[in-house]
PDB file of all heavy atoms in Angstrom:
ATOM      1  N   TRP A1083     -84.439 185.952  36.098  1.00 91.00           N
ATOM      2  CA  TRP A1083     -84.076 187.339  36.460  1.00 91.00           C
ATOM      3  C   TRP A1083     -83.259 187.442  37.762  1.00 91.00           C
ATOM      4  O   TRP A1083     -82.487 188.334  37.913  1.00 91.00           O
ATOM      5  CB  TRP A1083     -85.340 188.200  36.611  1.00 91.00           C
ATOM      6  CG  TRP A1083     -85.934 188.505  35.282  1.00 91.00           C
ATOM      7  CD1 TRP A1083     -87.069 187.904  34.730  1.00 91.00           C
ATOM      8  CD2 TRP A1083     -85.383 189.418  34.335  1.00 91.00           C
ATOM      9  NE1 TRP A1083     -87.223 188.454  33.448  1.00 91.00           N
ATOM     10  CE2 TRP A1083     -86.245 189.363  33.161  1.00 91.00           C
ATOM     11  CE3 TRP A1083     -84.291 190.247  34.276  1.00 91.00           C
ATOM     12  CZ2 TRP A1083     -85.990 190.129  32.030  1.00 91.00           C
ATOM     13  CZ3 TRP A1083     -84.092 190.999  33.170  1.00 91.00           C
ATOM     14  CH2 TRP A1083     -84.965 190.950  32.029  1.00 91.00           C
ATOM     15  N   LYS A1084     -83.411 186.517  38.604  1.00 93.00           N
ATOM     16  CA  LYS A1084     -82.586 186.402  39.829  1.00 93.00           C
ATOM     17  C   LYS A1084     -81.056 186.245  39.445  1.00 93.00           C
ATOM     18  O   LYS A1084     -80.189 186.900  40.038  1.00 93.00           O
ATOM     19  CB  LYS A1084     -82.969 185.294  40.799  1.00 93.00           C
ATOM     20  CG  LYS A1084     -82.125 185.216  42.027  1.00 93.00           C
ATOM     21  CD  LYS A1084     -82.676 184.186  42.980  1.00 93.00           C
ATOM     22  CE  LYS A1084     -81.768 184.120  44.318  1.00 93.00           C
ATOM     23  NZ  LYS A1084     -82.205 182.980  45.189  1.00 93.00           N
ATOM     24  N   ARG A1085     -80.850 185.432  38.441  1.00 92.00           N
ATOM     25  CA  ARG A1085     -79.451 185.195  38.030  1.00 92.00           C
ATOM     26  C   ARG A1085     -78.959 186.462  37.353  1.00 92.00           C
ATOM     27  O   ARG A1085     -77.697 186.804  37.505  1.00 92.00           O
ATOM     28  CB  ARG A1085     -79.421 184.058  37.034  1.00 92.00           C
ATOM     29  CG  ARG A1085     -78.030 183.573  36.613  1.00 92.00           C
ATOM     30  CD  ARG A1085     -78.025 182.394  35.738  1.00 92.00           C
ATOM     31  NE  ARG A1085     -76.752 182.121  35.203  1.00 92.00           N
ATOM     32  CZ  ARG A1085     -76.529 181.376  34.059  1.00 92.00           C
ATOM     33  NH1 ARG A1085     -77.515 180.828  33.384  1.00 92.00           N
ATOM     34  NH2 ARG A1085     -75.289 181.225  33.606  1.00 92.00           N
ATOM     35  N   VAL A1086     -79.761 187.157  36.587  1.00 94.00           N
ATOM     36  CA  VAL A1086     -79.329 188.332  35.972  1.00 94.00           C
ATOM     37  C   VAL A1086     -78.899 189.339  37.032  1.00 94.00           C
ATOM     38  O   VAL A1086     -77.846 190.047  36.920  1.00 94.00           O
ATOM     39  CB  VAL A1086     -80.464 188.962  35.105  1.00 94.00           C
ATOM     40  CG1 VAL A1086     -80.160 190.414  34.681  1.00 94.00           C
ATOM     41  CG2 VAL A1086     -80.720 188.132  33.865  1.00 94.00           C
ATOM     42  N   ALA A1087     -79.718 189.482  38.109  1.00 96.00           N
ATOM     43  CA  ALA A1087     -79.394 190.467  39.208  1.00 96.00           C
ATOM     44  C   ALA A1087     -78.152 189.972  39.913  1.00 96.00           C
ATOM     45  O   ALA A1087     -77.298 190.873  40.337  1.00 96.00           O
ATOM     46  CB  ALA A1087     -80.598 190.579  40.104  1.00 96.00           C
ATOM     47  N   GLN A1088     -77.947 188.699  40.096  1.00 96.00           N
ATOM     48  CA  GLN A1088     -76.743 188.146  40.849  1.00 96.00           C
ATOM     49  C   GLN A1088     -75.501 188.515  39.979  1.00 96.00           C
ATOM     50  O   GLN A1088     -74.514 188.873  40.632  1.00 96.00           O
ATOM     51  CB  GLN A1088     -76.826 186.672  41.088  1.00 96.00           C
ATOM     52  CG  GLN A1088     -77.904 186.350  42.138  1.00 96.00           C
ATOM     53  CD  GLN A1088     -78.104 184.839  42.217  1.00 96.00           C
ATOM     54  OE1 GLN A1088     -78.062 184.111  41.317  1.00 96.00           O
ATOM     55  NE2 GLN A1088     -78.527 184.343  43.464  1.00 96.00           N
ATOM     56  N   ILE A1089     -75.578 188.407  38.681  1.00 96.00           N
ATOM     57  CA  ILE A1089     -74.429 188.712  37.876  1.00 96.00           C
ATOM     58  C   ILE A1089     -74.118 190.221  37.997  1.00 96.00           C
ATOM     59  O   ILE A1089     -72.924 190.573  38.207  1.00 96.00           O
ATOM     60  CB  ILE A1089     -74.602 188.322  36.430  1.00 96.00           C
ATOM     61  CG1 ILE A1089     -74.665 186.778  36.285  1.00 96.00           C
ATOM     62  CG2 ILE A1089     -73.590 188.908  35.520  1.00 96.00           C
ATOM     63  CD1 ILE A1089     -75.057 186.302  34.953  1.00 96.00           C
ATOM     64  N   ALA A1090     -75.127 191.065  38.019  1.00 96.00           N
ATOM     65  CA  ALA A1090     -74.838 192.437  38.116  1.00 96.00           C
ATOM     66  C   ALA A1090     -74.237 192.835  39.472  1.00 96.00           C
ATOM     67  O   ALA A1090     -73.334 193.582  39.608  1.00 96.00           O
ATOM     68  CB  ALA A1090     -76.201 193.177  37.956  1.00 96.00           C
ATOM     69  N   ALA A1091     -74.816 192.172  40.603  1.00 96.00           N
ATOM     70  CA  ALA A1091     -74.222 192.400  41.900  1.00 96.00           C
ATOM     71  C   ALA A1091     -72.826 191.960  42.005  1.00 96.00           C
ATOM     72  O   ALA A1091     -71.948 192.559  42.638  1.00 96.00           O
ATOM     73  CB  ALA A1091     -75.156 191.633  42.928  1.00 96.00           C
ATOM     74  N   TYR A1092     -72.515 190.808  41.246  1.00 95.00           N
ATOM     75  CA  TYR A1092     -71.104 190.299  41.250  1.00 95.00           C
ATOM     76  C   TYR A1092     -70.222 191.346  40.595  1.00 95.00           C
ATOM     77  O   TYR A1092     -69.063 191.656  41.114  1.00 95.00           O
ATOM     78  CB  TYR A1092     -70.998 188.937  40.610  1.00 95.00           C
ATOM     79  CG  TYR A1092     -69.717 188.583  40.044  1.00 95.00           C
ATOM     80  CD1 TYR A1092     -68.739 188.199  40.970  1.00 95.00           C
ATOM     81  CD2 TYR A1092     -69.381 188.687  38.675  1.00 95.00           C
ATOM     82  CE1 TYR A1092     -67.430 187.834  40.432  1.00 95.00           C
ATOM     83  CE2 TYR A1092     -68.199 188.329  38.256  1.00 95.00           C
ATOM     84  CZ  TYR A1092     -67.138 187.883  39.131  1.00 95.00           C
ATOM     85  OH  TYR A1092     -65.995 187.478  38.662  1.00 95.00           O
ATOM     86  N   LEU A1093     -70.559 191.900  39.472  1.00 95.00           N
ATOM     87  CA  LEU A1093     -69.768 192.848  38.772  1.00 95.00           C
ATOM     88  C   LEU A1093     -69.533 194.077  39.534  1.00 95.00           C
ATOM     89  O   LEU A1093     -68.520 194.672  39.524  1.00 95.00           O
ATOM     90  CB  LEU A1093     -70.346 193.114  37.422  1.00 95.00           C
ATOM     91  CG  LEU A1093     -70.434 192.048  36.353  1.00 95.00           C
ATOM     92  CD1 LEU A1093     -71.138 192.381  35.126  1.00 95.00           C
ATOM     93  CD2 LEU A1093     -68.835 191.641  35.977  1.00 95.00           C
ATOM     94  N   LEU A1094     -70.634 194.566  40.156  1.00 95.00           N
ATOM     95  CA  LEU A1094     -70.570 195.779  41.025  1.00 95.00           C
ATOM     96  C   LEU A1094     -69.928 195.541  42.395  1.00 95.00           C
ATOM     97  O   LEU A1094     -69.485 196.539  43.035  1.00 95.00           O
ATOM     98  CB  LEU A1094     -72.004 196.305  41.246  1.00 95.00           C
ATOM     99  CG  LEU A1094     -72.735 196.892  40.043  1.00 95.00           C
ATOM    100  CD1 LEU A1094     -74.227 197.099  40.344  1.00 95.00           C
ATOM    101  CD2 LEU A1094     -72.125 198.111  39.526  1.00 95.00           C
ATOM    102  N   GLN A1095     -69.842 194.286  42.812  1.00 95.00           N
ATOM    103  CA  GLN A1095     -69.297 193.901  44.147  1.00 95.00           C
ATOM    104  C   GLN A1095     -70.025 194.686  45.264  1.00 95.00           C
ATOM    105  O   GLN A1095     -69.388 195.148  46.221  1.00 95.00           O
ATOM    106  CB  GLN A1095     -67.780 194.213  44.198  1.00 95.00           C
ATOM    107  CG  GLN A1095     -66.981 193.145  43.384  1.00 95.00           C
ATOM    108  CD  GLN A1095     -67.031 191.809  44.001  1.00 95.00           C
ATOM    109  OE1 GLN A1095     -66.371 191.533  45.089  1.00 95.00           O
ATOM    110  NE2 GLN A1095     -67.778 190.926  43.323  1.00 95.00           N
ATOM    111  N   GLU A1096     -71.357 194.722  45.059  1.00 95.00           N
ATOM    112  CA  GLU A1096     -72.185 195.228  46.224  1.00 95.00           C
ATOM    113  C   GLU A1096     -73.585 194.615  46.093  1.00 95.00           C
ATOM    114  O   GLU A1096     -74.003 194.248  44.952  1.00 95.00           O
ATOM    115  CB  GLU A1096     -72.230 196.729  46.162  1.00 95.00           C
ATOM    116  CG  GLU A1096     -72.851 197.235  44.878  1.00 95.00           C
ATOM    117  CD  GLU A1096     -72.812 198.752  44.784  1.00 95.00           C
ATOM    118  OE1 GLU A1096     -71.875 199.344  45.318  1.00 95.00           O
ATOM    119  OE2 GLU A1096     -73.740 199.395  44.157  1.00 95.00           O
ATOM    120  N   GLU A1097     -74.335 194.645  47.200  1.00 96.00           N
ATOM    121  CA  GLU A1097     -75.680 194.144  47.205  1.00 96.00           C
ATOM    122  C   GLU A1097     -76.591 195.104  46.426  1.00 96.00           C
ATOM    123  O   GLU A1097     -76.324 196.259  46.337  1.00 96.00           O
ATOM    124  CB  GLU A1097     -76.269 194.067  48.652  1.00 96.00           C
ATOM    125  CG  GLU A1097     -75.636 193.031  49.468  1.00 96.00           C
ATOM    126  CD  GLU A1097     -76.242 192.929  50.875  1.00 96.00           C
ATOM    127  OE1 GLU A1097     -76.973 193.925  51.274  1.00 96.00           O
ATOM    128  OE2 GLU A1097     -76.040 191.944  51.559  1.00 96.00           O
ATOM    129  N   ILE A1098     -77.584 194.508  45.701  1.00 96.00           N
ATOM    130  CA  ILE A1098     -78.579 195.266  45.049  1.00 96.00           C
ATOM    131  C   ILE A1098     -79.828 195.241  45.909  1.00 96.00           C
ATOM    132  O   ILE A1098     -80.430 194.238  46.142  1.00 96.00           O
ATOM    133  CB  ILE A1098     -78.867 194.710  43.618  1.00 96.00           C
ATOM    134  CG1 ILE A1098     -77.622 194.753  42.821  1.00 96.00           C
ATOM    135  CG2 ILE A1098     -79.974 195.507  43.039  1.00 96.00           C
ATOM    136  CD1 ILE A1098     -77.743 194.166  41.380  1.00 96.00           C
ATOM    137  N   LEU A1099     -80.206 196.508  46.275  1.00 96.00           N
ATOM    138  CA  LEU A1099     -81.418 196.678  47.180  1.00 96.00           C
ATOM    139  C   LEU A1099     -82.611 197.014  46.169  1.00 96.00           C
ATOM    140  O   LEU A1099     -82.437 197.628  45.153  1.00 96.00           O
ATOM    141  CB  LEU A1099     -81.280 197.787  48.219  1.00 96.00           C
ATOM    142  CG  LEU A1099     -80.071 197.581  49.142  1.00 96.00           C
ATOM    143  CD1 LEU A1099     -79.940 198.727  50.080  1.00 96.00           C
ATOM    144  CD2 LEU A1099     -80.157 196.237  49.891  1.00 96.00           C
ATOM    145  N   ASP A1100     -83.830 196.637  46.613  1.00 96.00           N
ATOM    146  CA  ASP A1100     -85.046 196.919  45.814  1.00 96.00           C
ATOM    147  C   ASP A1100     -84.822 196.350  44.414  1.00 96.00           C
ATOM    148  O   ASP A1100     -85.150 197.092  43.391  1.00 96.00           O
ATOM    149  CB  ASP A1100     -85.346 198.394  45.777  1.00 96.00           C
ATOM    150  CG  ASP A1100     -85.603 198.958  47.219  1.00 96.00           C
ATOM    151  OD1 ASP A1100     -86.286 198.279  47.946  1.00 96.00           O
ATOM    152  OD2 ASP A1100     -85.080 199.986  47.463  1.00 96.00           O
ATOM    153  N   ALA A1101     -84.300 195.165  44.249  1.00 95.00           N
ATOM    154  CA  ALA A1101     -83.974 194.613  42.972  1.00 95.00           C
ATOM    155  C   ALA A1101     -85.263 194.562  42.019  1.00 95.00           C
ATOM    156  O   ALA A1101     -85.022 194.882  40.839  1.00 95.00           O
ATOM    157  CB  ALA A1101     -83.422 193.208  43.183  1.00 95.00           C
ATOM    158  N   PRO A1102     -86.417 194.192  42.400  1.00 94.00           N
ATOM    159  CA  PRO A1102     -87.558 194.101  41.530  1.00 94.00           C
ATOM    160  C   PRO A1102     -87.773 195.511  40.789  1.00 94.00           C
ATOM    161  O   PRO A1102     -87.991 195.504  39.584  1.00 94.00           O
ATOM    162  CB  PRO A1102     -88.716 193.664  42.258  1.00 94.00           C
ATOM    163  CG  PRO A1102     -88.121 192.894  43.413  1.00 94.00           C
ATOM    164  CD  PRO A1102     -86.844 193.628  43.729  1.00 94.00           C
ATOM    165  N   ASP A1103     -87.755 196.546  41.633  1.00 95.00           N
ATOM    166  CA  ASP A1103     -87.995 197.828  41.086  1.00 95.00           C
ATOM    167  C   ASP A1103     -86.947 198.208  40.034  1.00 95.00           C
ATOM    168  O   ASP A1103     -87.197 198.884  39.103  1.00 95.00           O
ATOM    169  CB  ASP A1103     -88.117 198.889  42.205  1.00 95.00           C
ATOM    170  CG  ASP A1103     -89.355 198.719  43.084  1.00 95.00           C
ATOM    171  OD1 ASP A1103     -90.295 198.040  42.630  1.00 95.00           O
ATOM    172  OD2 ASP A1103     -89.404 199.158  44.207  1.00 95.00           O
TER     173      ASP A1103
END
Side-chain angles (χ1 to χ4, degrees):
W1083 287 105
K1084 181 178 178 181
R1085 186 177 171 200
V1086 169
Q1088 286 172 332
I1089 290 171
Y1092 160 75
L1093 292 172
L1094 294 167
Q1095 286 293 286
E1096 61 183 33
E1097 289 183 346
I1098 297 177
L1099 306 179
D1100 299 317
D1103 292 341

